[in-house]
Amino acid sequence: MINGSSLKVAVRVRPFNQREKAMRSKCIISMAGNNCTILDPKDLQNKRTFTFDYCYWSTDGYIENDQGVFLPNGPHSRYISQEHVFNELGRAVLENAWNGYNATIFSYGQTGSGKSYLMTGYGGNKGLVPMICEALFQEIKQRQSKDGQFYVYFSMFEIYNEQVQDLLSKVFANQFMTKHSEINLVDLAGSERQRSAGTAPDRFNEARAINLSLTTLGNVISSLSDKAVGKRVQYIPYRNSILTRLLSTALGGNSKTIMVTMISPADIYYDETMSTLRFAERAKNVQNRAVINESLTEQLLMDLKEDNTGLRARIADLEKAGDVHIDEQEVLKKLIVDNERQLKDMQKSWQQKLEEARREWEQQYSCIIKEEQMMAELPYFLNVNEDPQLSGAVKHFIHHGITTIGRTAGLQQDIVLKGLGILDKHAVLTSHDHKVVLEPINKARILINGVPVLTKHQLQHLDRVIIGSCSFYLYVGFPHERNDRDKIHKYNYEFFASELASIEGFGKVNVGMGEELKENLDPDLARIFHDFIAIMPMVAQANQISEELNKGVIFEPEVKNLTSTDAKGEGLEKEIIVKVINKVTKQVEIWPRDKFTDRKLLIEGIYQHFLENGTIPNMVEQDPFWDSVEILHLGSAHVWLETLAYCIAYEDQVEAINYRGKEEAIIQIRLLPCSPSGNPLGEESVIVDPDDLLGKRMDFQMQITLCLGVKWIQGNSSRGVQIGFMMYGLPAMLYTPAVWNNANFEMDYTMCFMIQHVTADFLSYLKTHAVVLELWGLQEGCQEMETEFAHVALAGNGSVLLDLCYRNQWTSVPQDSEKCRSKLSEQLKMLEEEIENLKDANRSLKSENIKMQRELERLRNLPSSSGLVTNGGPMKSANDRSDQKSPFPSWDAEFAKALKTFYFSMIGVRARLIHLKEVRPLDEGRILCLRYFANERNQLIEELGEELESCVGKLKNDIAKIIKRKKELQIDAVSPP
Ligand code: ADP
Ligand code: MG
């Protein structure tokens, strides 16, 4: 009997965990009926709805009862409890099993998403495995009392690091079974990331699934799903991992299978959750063909029994009839004996197997007892894993005397570790006089409490010991050192990782205060902190593999700040990148975090292959350690355009700041307003009101004259640089010619721009934007950027024409709303208001001026009897037209001068403002002490505030002086002698 059906897919969203709460994450998941909707936290309009067979909301609406069981908090609660899931999914599995179908439930999701909670459960919240087992035994009891003898055989595995451990007993030959069913209840453990499965293909997609259970599971499901929708699939990679080999009947085979996808509700895991949901969507397509498993044994048993009954009846008949066919009776009796022996044999083989199982179980039990004894007497190392469920699974006891740690065992009591970066003979432990001393052999890598250890070190109870690059152990000391109040669970994976991160660059971050600190962090920084900590051990592993495989590549994680590329200086987003450095050529690649995590899987695969076969697999495509070299963005400098709006020439040396917030180079730049013939305009052309430019033609030049102290080239003189920039929505970047091998060079770069009709849009662009000079690093083997500007329209005089630009392109910069910067923006706003006020004052003064000039004119035209002074005063004859303006100092020019001074000082302030925004809690690319950073920033804000005040104060003063002088003159001019 074949039952074709697709894999059933459920999705369950768990409550927020402590970390997510600390980061003040928002919920991006909602559920209605069978629909699950996910919001993009960066763009709330962007949502996506998925439909599954079951959607389980377990994020809120629950209370904890006395037994610690989470239950819905009322009749209207949407909370789905463990029991609900069991009633819906667990019972279906049992039902299928009793009917002779194979049945499987497995949970899928990133570490910490609730897989173990669902399958095993925690405390009073029993999971599917115990609940299914209980229900199974209950049913067995009932059936036994009804149907007589009845056997159930159990096995349970754990797959850890691609090794199967049989936890109960060995998988039985089933010749004796009648109807049988295999129930697989799978709790995927371990720290494999599933983010890449089923997401955007990169050219390494095929090679990705080398050894990791979870990745292979992803690929198996992808292939099965492709097959189901009619794509040609050459083979299903079941054999690529132990998990998928074991599950091959559950997936795309003879089984009724349910996959429960576990997700977090938090915005910080948007990417991971999205890829998990996409994966689940694909899994829905997988088709299974479940068959009732019936064996001939049952038939055989029934036949034998029936046979015997028949034979006995026949003998009885014969006896009754007095028919003495001795021969026949003998034959019949012999048949009965034979049948009974066969029945007994079958029974016996079962008994024997049961016996074997019992013995094995006893052996394991005695091991457990022995382990408990040793724990009570000896110091030991306890493993710590990213998956809390695997933490504590391994214990290495330290006996009296000498124990070596390494890849190979010498003495019986030696500790054999297979992890990354562990040498054949790695370290020696000496246990003597209730003290354990650890000594690395030949500079082997060992960190104790985050600090590298080079010589003998006496271990203290609860020391964190990292052996090689990623084998984490907690040292549990002698019984007398232990305490009931020891918080062993505190030393989890995250604790180790933060401690490791602290020595690798997080500087003064106090690990012990991690949680408290994180609670006080702004969420963006907290996310980066979390991502950085998460990537650190992966980078350490990749480096170790690179070293062991002699790849000559170093990986370095860094925090990249995106402010530098934003023309308004406002982009405050940060992201984790990994720098890949070729040790020999010093060539550098920059990989985004996702690319690194994808490559890391491949790198691990290659390493696994290397361990198994002693060779590196031929990479048909490309080496995952290294791509082709590309031009790199080194840093950016902002040159504010505002002076152009007042036709003021501007020259400055600006710092190109790299993503670590450090100076990468100094660039000398000029912005020159020009006449149509290309000659720079003088001071006389300075205007007070930019609106005067509206509708007029405007020409200006940008000159780059000098580039000093280019760190990139100082680092290696075979390198070069190019400077790229955008202007008012040009369709493409413009690049200067490349300069190689020189860290300090003069440049003779001039670019002329022209706009035929200045628009309000263009003016507003000038007033609020900077030209971002992007410094790009060239290295051997990479292509220079094109200096020809094919996509740009040129005016007749060769200037780049700005009239044709795509409007509004430059306005699409997202506004930043971060709290910690609100103070700054407030100040900036106040300043802008102040400027507006001053402009207003200026305007009214200007109109007053005009009025007064008219008045003067009028007075001048009056007959001399009016008593107006015509000589001796600052005024000359009214007929002297050529000098008509000169007797009065030109008020406009004076105002303009004052404003010019003000704008120049403002440029300084602006630069500091940008600097302030760009300063990051980083040292050498890594987050330095965050508190220190906050203090420093506060101080900078204060300084900036003072500077702003003094600029505005000076401008006010200047204007007041001008007005005063003007009034005096005016009085002089009109007052009678
Ligand atoms: P995984 O096995 O996927 O790595 P766990 O099952 O260990 O994740 O879950 C991580 C944490 O989240 C645990 O502390 C667990 O108690 C909690 N958790 C997960 N799902 C739920 C749920 N539905 N209700 C309450 N707590 C949950
Ligand atoms: Mg788990």
Side-chain angles (χ1 to χ4, degrees):
M1 189 172 159
I2 293 175
N3 189 330
S5 70
S6 48
L7 190 104
K8 293 264 178 293
V9 178
V11 61
R12 185 181 199 188
V13 53
R14 65 155 165 74
F16 282 92
N17 62 25
Q18 280 317 104
R19 178 196 278 165
E20 293 160 351
K21 283 183 200 158
M23 291 185 196
R24 281 171 265 152
S25 325
K26 309 237 160 26
C27 180
I28 51 164
I29 302 294
S30 59
M31 284 176 171
N34 285 4
N35 291 337
C36 172
T37 302
I38 178 167
L39 289 181
D40 179 350
K42 287 200 186 122
D43 170 13
L44 296 179
Q45 302 305 313
N46 180 16
K47 51 177 143 176
R48 170 127 190 227
T49 298
F50 295 86
T51 306
F52 297 110
D53 297 294
Y54 308 90
C55 283
Y56 294 135
W57 178 265
S58 299
T59 301
D60 56 16
Y62 60 92
I63 43 158
E64 195 176 345
N65 74 6
D66 304 343
Q67 279 88 50
V69 181
F70 293 131
L71 297 169
N73 63 6
H76 302 297
S77 165
R78 298 183 298 154
Y79 182 74
I80 299 290
S81 65
Q82 295 279 75
E83 199 176 350
H84 183 120
V85 179
F86 167 71
N87 283 333
E88 215 154 47
L89 307 186
R91 290 204 189 280
V93 161
L94 284 170
E95 176 78 21
N96 286 328
W98 287 118
N99 289 330
Y101 291 105
N102 294 336
T104 300
I105 295 190
F106 69 95
S107 54
Y108 184 88
Q110 69 178 121
T111 300
S113 58
K115 299 184 293 292
S116 301
Y117 183 89
L118 173 86
M119 298 308 299
T120 322
Y122 287 89
N125 296 288
K126 275 188 265 175
L128 288 174
V129 173
M131 286 199 274
I132 287 175
C133 289
E134 272 168 29
L136 189 66
F137 282 118
Q138 248 171 26
E139 177 103 19
I140 289 167
K141 251 193 205 155
Q142 280 173 12
R143 292 194 183 213
Q144 268 177 338
S145 59
K146 215 167 69 198
D147 303 342
Q149 213 160 26
F150 208 92
Y151 294 104
V152 170
Y153 289 88
F154 253 139
S155 62
M156 205 167 174
F157 313 104
E158 182 178 86
I159 303 175
Y160 178 31
N161 271 352
E162 280 295 297
Q163 279 160 19
V164 185
Q165 286 166 26
D166 193 338
L167 297 182
L168 285 182
S169 63
K170 289 254 148 62
V171 191
F172 284 103
N174 50 15
Q175 82 257 21
F176 198 75
M177 290 185 206
T178 56
K179 209 185 255 175
H180 77 269
S181 152
E182 209 178 288
I183 306 178
N184 294 298
L185 303 173
V186 186
D187 177 11
L188 292 172
S191 59
E192 297 95 330
R193 298 166 59 86
Q194 82 292 354
R195 56 168 306 108
S196 350
T199 57
D202 128 314
R203 65 178 178 284
F204 286 93
N205 223 3
E206 286 74 34
R208 182 172 284 144
I210 299 183
N211 70 332
L212 301 162
S213 295
L214 214 51
T215 321
T216 314
L217 179 64
N219 284 1
V220 165
I221 288 187
S222 291
S223 318
L224 288 170
S225 141
D226 284 350
K227 195 172 131 187
V229 296
K231 285 196 199 156
R232 239 188 66 195
V233 174
Q234 287 194 325
Y235 89 116
I236 311 288
Y238 291 118
R239 298 196 58 77
N240 285 4
S241 82
I242 289 183
L243 173 75
T244 46
R245 227 174 292 162
L246 285 174
L247 285 185
S248 58
T249 49
L251 297 165
N254 176 15
S255 177
K256 296 206 168 193
T257 303
I258 303 172
M259 177 174 106
V260 191
T261 312
M262 315 302 301
I263 54 174
S264 149
D267 54 358
I268 52 170
Y269 291 121
Y270 172 74
D271 290 344
E272 281 88 345
T273 304
M274 189 68 180
S275 89
T276 305
L277 289 173
R278 278 208 207 101
F279 175 79
E281 171 95 341
R282 301 198 75 183
K284 287 196 304 196
N285 296 330
V286 173
Q287 292 289 330
N288 283 341
R289 293 165 69 78
V291 185
I292 293 180
N293 300 303
E294 275 172 312
S295 92
L296 291 177
T297 323
E298 184 182 38
Q299 207 51 52
L300 190 65
L301 264 171
M302 303 240 288
D303 288 354
L304 282 171
K305 279 183 184 164
E306 229 167 73
D307 219 16
N308 276 6
T309 320
L311 289 171
R312 286 206 178 90
R314 174 91 182 112
I315 292 172
D317 282 351
L318 285 173
E319 278 172 352
K320 213 190 270 172
D323 221 346
V324 193
H325 285 284
I326 302 293
D327 284 359
E328 198 186 347
Q329 273 199 11
E330 282 307 309
V331 171
L332 290 174
K333 276 181 186 159
K334 199 167 169 281
L335 272 175
I336 290 175
V337 171
D338 263 8
N339 280 355
E340 272 169 0
R341 207 197 55 235
Q342 268 196 47
L343 276 166
K344 245 198 197 129
D345 277 356
M346 285 185 175
Q347 221 109 325
K348 204 169 122 202
S349 78
W350 272 124
Q351 295 291 351
Q352 270 172 0
K353 279 169 184 159
L354 258 185
E355 204 42 51
E356 270 172 36
R358 193 166 294 137
R359 268 203 304 276
E360 229 171 274
W361 184 84
E362 273 167 7
Q363 246 173 16
Q364 287 192 2
Y365 186 71
S366 75
C367 282
I368 292 170
I369 299 287
K370 199 171 148 203
E371 187 180 275
E372 276 175 3
Q373 264 172 7
M374 292 206 285
M375 279 168 73
E377 291 164 11
L378 294 172
Y380 57 96
F381 283 138
L382 198 65
N383 82 313
V384 174
N385 192 283
E386 186 174 359
D387 185 337
Q389 210 134 35
L390 298 176
S391 289
V394 179
K395 294 174 196 80
H396 294 294
F397 293 97
I398 303 167
H399 296 266
H400 188 78
I402 289 183
T403 308
T404 53
I405 300 176
R407 251 184 225 262
T408 49
L411 304 168
Q412 211 183 3
Q413 65 182 45
D414 286 350
I415 297 173
V416 181
L417 301 180
K418 288 267 188 294
L420 206 51
I422 292 171
L423 310 179
D424 283 349
K425 295 264 179 267
H426 199 96
V428 181
L429 288 164
T430 315
S431 174
H432 184 68
D433 217 8
H434 286 277
K435 287 188 189 79
V436 174
V437 173
L438 175 70
E439 185 183 7
I441 302 173
N442 285 336
K443 296 186 187 158
R445 185 178 140 107
I446 292 199
L447 305 175
I448 296 181
N449 305 332
V451 182
V453 169
L454 304 168
T455 53
K456 283 186 183 171
H457 183 102
Q458 187 183 325
L459 292 176
Q460 306 292 326
H461 177 51
L462 300 183
D463 270 350
R464 280 78 61 203
V465 183
I466 300 179
I467 304 174
S469 50
C470 56
S471 302
F472 294 177
Y473 292 95
L474 185 69
Y475 170 73
V476 179
F478 285 94
H480 72 269
E481 298 175 77
R482 303 178 200 168
N483 194 313
D484 288 346
R485 276 165 287 142
D486 286 343
K487 289 184 182 142
I488 289 199
H489 66 271
K490 184 175 116 184
Y491 303 102
N492 55 13
Y493 183 84
E494 211 198 324
F495 192 99
F496 274 69
S498 341
E499 208 165 51
L500 185 65
S502 76
I503 52 144
E504 304 252 358
F506 270 79
K508 299 163 198 155
V509 173
N510 185 333
V511 178
M513 297 187 342
E515 284 308 314
E516 178 212 327
L517 189 68
K518 271 184 254 161
E519 274 178 37
N520 297 329
L521 275 182
D522 77 55
D524 199 33
L525 266 184
R527 179 181 59 80
I528 284 297
F529 187 87
H530 158 73
D531 286 356
F532 197 87
I533 293 234
I535 209 164
M536 289 278 326
M538 296 171 74
V539 170
Q541 288 168 24
N543 276 326
Q544 190 61 47
I545 296 180
S546 161
E547 198 175 318
E548 284 187 35
L549 300 185
N550 244 330
K551 298 300 289 189
V553 169
I554 310 173
F555 299 92
E556 280 179 13
E558 292 197 357
V559 180
K560 180 174 179 175
N561 214 297
L562 305 182
T563 320
S564 49
T565 48
D566 171 18
K568 280 173 123 182
E570 281 174 346
L572 291 158
E573 264 182 64
K574 297 164 191 67
E575 62 181 33
I576 303 282
I577 52 150
V578 175
K579 223 166 147 176
V580 192
I581 304 159
N582 184 317
K583 280 202 269 191
V584 182
T585 62
K586 299 277 182 270
Q587 285 164 308
V588 178
E589 288 178 20
I590 302 281
W591 291 358
R593 184 182 67 134
D594 288 358
K595 178 167 173 177
F596 173 76
T597 49
D598 284 356
R599 291 300 176 86
K600 168 78 189 338
L601 292 179
L602 286 169
I603 287 173
E604 268 174 45
I606 288 180
Y607 186 64
Q608 194 71 25
H609 189 279
F610 174 75
L611 289 184
E612 281 161 18
N613 310 296
T615 56
I616 297 177
N618 283 337
M619 294 308 296
V620 186
E621 297 194 55
Q622 214 195 336
D623 190 348
F625 285 89
W626 193 250
D627 271 347
S628 51
V629 190
E630 283 171 3
I631 185 165
L632 295 182
H633 178 241
L634 303 176
S636 303
H638 285 67
V639 180
W640 294 93
L641 294 167
E642 197 176 3
T643 49
L644 285 177
Y646 298 88
C647 293
I648 297 173
Y650 169 69
E651 173 162 4
D652 202 1
Q653 291 196 342
V654 287
E655 280 182 332
I657 304 286
N658 64 23
Y659 53 76
R660 295 168 174 175
K662 294 265 161 85
E663 179 189 301
E664 183 62 38
I666 289 183
I667 301 170
Q668 175 144 319
I669 179 157
R670 285 192 198 129
L671 289 174
L672 302 174
C674 294
S675 69
S677 55
N679 294 323
L681 298 176
E683 270 191 18
E684 68 289 346
S685 317
V686 169
I687 56 156
V688 175
D689 187 351
D691 287 351
D692 292 351
L693 291 173
L694 280 174
K696 299 200 181 122
R697 166 175 171 168
M698 181 176 176
D699 293 77
F700 64 95
Q701 289 178 6
M702 194 178 102
Q703 298 181 350
I704 301 174
T705 51
L706 210 59
C707 196
L708 298 172
V710 184
K711 300 268 186 317
W712 171 248
I713 301 181
Q714 284 173 350
N716 187 324
S717 62
S718 71
R719 295 169 177 167
V721 283
Q722 269 183 287
I723 299 172
F725 61 92
M726 287 286 279
M727 184 66 77
Y728 189 53
L730 287 179
M733 260 221 182
L734 303 177
Y735 288 91
T736 65
V739 177
W740 290 84
N741 320 112
N742 201 343
N744 301 289
F745 52 89
E746 281 184 20
M747 242 188 161
D748 182 17
Y749 181 80
T750 300
M751 181 59 66
C752 302
F753 297 93
M754 189 247 263
I755 180 160
Q756 273 168 323
H757 302 284
V758 170
T759 57
D761 190 52
F762 181 71
L763 277 185
S764 151
Y765 167 79
L766 290 185
K767 283 196 251 177
T768 54
H769 279 66
V771 171
V772 183
L773 299 179
E774 295 188 358
L775 194 65
W776 287 83
L778 296 158
Q779 49 190 330
E780 238 171 282
C782 80
Q783 283 270 330
E784 290 180 13
M785 299 308 274
E786 204 53 69
T787 52
E788 296 290 315
F789 26 91
H791 308 290
V792 171
L794 296 184
N797 64 357
S799 293
V800 171
L801 205 55
L802 296 176
D803 291 88
L804 305 176
C805 291
Y806 304 87
R807 293 271 219 93
N808 295 329
Q809 259 200 3
W810 51 271
T811 53
S812 62
V813 184
Q815 278 286 317
D816 158 54
S817 61
E818 269 192 85
K819 214 178 172 182
C820 63
R821 274 107 186 167
S822 64
K823 200 172 161 187
L824 258 184
S825 351
E826 239 169 59
Q827 291 195 4
L828 194 63
K829 221 168 120 193
M830 269 162 56
L831 187 77
E832 273 163 7
E833 270 171 26
E834 194 101 34
I835 294 175
E836 278 313 309
N837 289 342
L838 286 170
K839 274 188 197 159
D840 279 349
N842 199 24
R843 245 178 295 219
S844 63
L845 283 173
K846 203 173 157 188
S847 65
E848 207 181 311
N849 203 15
I850 292 169
K851 251 196 256 159
M852 288 195 308
Q853 272 182 359
R854 284 213 192 102
E855 178 67 16
L856 267 178
E857 203 77 22
R858 195 180 60 79
L859 288 172
R860 245 185 244 137
N861 293 338
L862 286 178
S864 56
S865 62
S866 68
L868 184 75
V869 178
T870 54
N871 54 5
M875 289 184 72
K876 287 194 179 166
S877 143
N879 300 331
D880 193 351
R881 301 234 72 159
S882 63
D883 273 333
Q884 201 176 16
K885 277 187 189 163
S886 61
F888 264 4
S890 155
W891 305 119
D892 279 1
E894 292 237 343
F895 284 132
K897 236 185 206 164
L899 274 176
K900 191 176 163 184
T901 319
F902 175 70
Y903 288 125
F904 273 117
S905 53
M906 276 300 294
I907 286 162
V909 173
R910 268 231 138 98
R912 296 193 55 164
L913 189 71
I914 297 302
H915 182 64
L916 186 62
K917 284 183 171 184
E918 278 175 353
V919 175
R920 293 174 271 291
L922 290 180
D923 183 26
E924 297 303 319
R926 290 160 189 145
I927 297 181
L928 193 71
C929 174
L930 295 163
R931 288 211 168 137
Y932 170 75
F933 167 69
N935 286 343
E936 195 184 45
R937 190 146 71 173
N938 276 344
Q939 203 180 325
L940 280 172
I941 288 176
E942 259 172 43
E943 281 174 22
L944 189 66
E946 281 166 20
E947 206 169 321
L948 286 180
E949 261 173 42
S950 92
C951 288
V952 175
K954 179 156 181 357
L955 180 62
K956 277 184 186 163
N957 252 345
D958 285 354
I959 292 188
K961 266 191 221 152
I962 295 171
I963 294 173
K964 198 170 153 220
R965 271 184 42 219
K966 191 173 147 183
K967 287 227 165 103
E968 282 165 9
L969 281 174
Q970 196 183 330
I971 292 163
D972 283 354
V974 291
S975 60

